[in-house]
Amino acid sequence: MTTPHAAVVLAAGGSTRLGRPKQGLTRGDETLVHRTARLALASGAARVLVIVGARADSVCEAVRDLPVECHHNAAWATGLGSSVRVAAAALATHGGPALLLVCDQPALEDAHLHALLEAARASSSGCAATRLGQRLGTPVVVSPEVLRRAGALHGDRGLRDLLNAEGVDVAACDAPGLVLDIDTPEDLAVAVAKGWLDGQFPAGPRGGHGRAG
């Protein structure tokens, strides 16, 4: 990687199964969207994009104190693939790799992001992904070529389909805690029990500078 990487925080979802905005859940009094964007910056990214959709104004407000760019996905209700397309368009002239993250993995730590970036440098494809059970998923580092291919997909298809396609050389990094993403109240309860989320949350996705890590 000779060109610094960019980072993309996919934060446009409506959290319909959870029943409350997951972007505003907190760990150490810091909202998940703020924490994810902060870790993306700490990875050394030249640019950090936050893709917003549902509750766009409040999510942008949550990261207002960070040097990030908010990009609106008007088609957020169609699924994660539409946010990947917004990211691909915004990074069309960026010549380096992209680190893509979601904001509902409360066990995320900066060491894993650095491991992914190092694995991507050593990979012939320039790509590295997180091993989530039997599949590869986010966070993920992709080459400019792979991001462009993902941006051309339709519907809710996106990076996951490309990363798990047969014959694609993607380095895999383990981070067992990231198997838990917050989709349901049951997931939320597990994360609180493990200490990955606070037991009480603010009403909206405010920012904050909670504990590092």
Side-chain angles (χ1 to χ4, degrees):
M1 298 181 190
T2 56
T3 303
H5 68 280
V8 178
V9 178
L10 302 169
S15 308
T16 53
R17 285 191 288 166
L18 183 60
R20 62 180 303 154
K22 62 180 70 177
Q23 299 94 327
L25 300 177
T26 60
R27 174 174 170 173
D29 296 325
E30 180 181 23
T31 59
L32 288 188
V33 66
H34 188 280
R35 184 174 189 274
T36 306
R38 176 175 59 79
L39 292 177
L41 286 165
S43 74
R47 296 171 61 187
V48 175
L49 285 60
V50 179
I51 311 301
V52 301
R55 307 176 185 89
D57 289 344
S58 58
V59 175
C60 289
E61 177 63 22
V63 296
R64 182 173 59 86
D65 64 314
L66 297 175
V68 301
E69 310 166 24
C70 285
H71 292 258
H72 188 258
N73 173 16
W76 64 268
T78 64
L80 192 63
S82 61
S83 288
V84 174
R85 290 191 290 277
V86 170
L91 293 175
T93 60
H94 179 73
L99 167 66
L100 281 84
L101 312 94
V102 291
C103 64
D104 63 351
Q105 292 175 309
L108 179 65
E109 301 290 352
D110 55 359
H112 180 60
L113 301 183
H114 290 291
L116 283 170
L117 290 163
E118 184 63 29
R121 293 186 189 99
S123 171
S124 61
S125 67
C127 300
T130 304
R131 197 192 320 271
L132 303 174
Q134 299 301 311
R135 293 177 61 81
L136 299 177
T138 53
V140 57
V141 177
V142 296
S143 66
E145 295 76 17
V146 170
L147 185 59
R148 282 195 292 271
R149 288 169 58 194
L153 297 176
H154 298 286
D156 193 31
R157 298 181 61 210
L159 284 173
R160 181 167 294 184
D161 290 335
L162 290 178
L163 295 174
N164 290 279
E166 185 176 356
V168 177
D169 176 27
V170 180
C173 295
D174 292 308
L178 298 187
V179 173
L180 177 65
D181 52 15
I182 309 301
D183 284 329
T184 67
E186 292 76 19
D187 298 332
L188 177 58
V190 171
V192 170
K194 289 181 175 290
W196 292 335
L197 286 177
D198 300 333
Q200 295 181 343
F201 311 102
R206 295 174 293 179
H209 299 280
R211 62 176 180 266

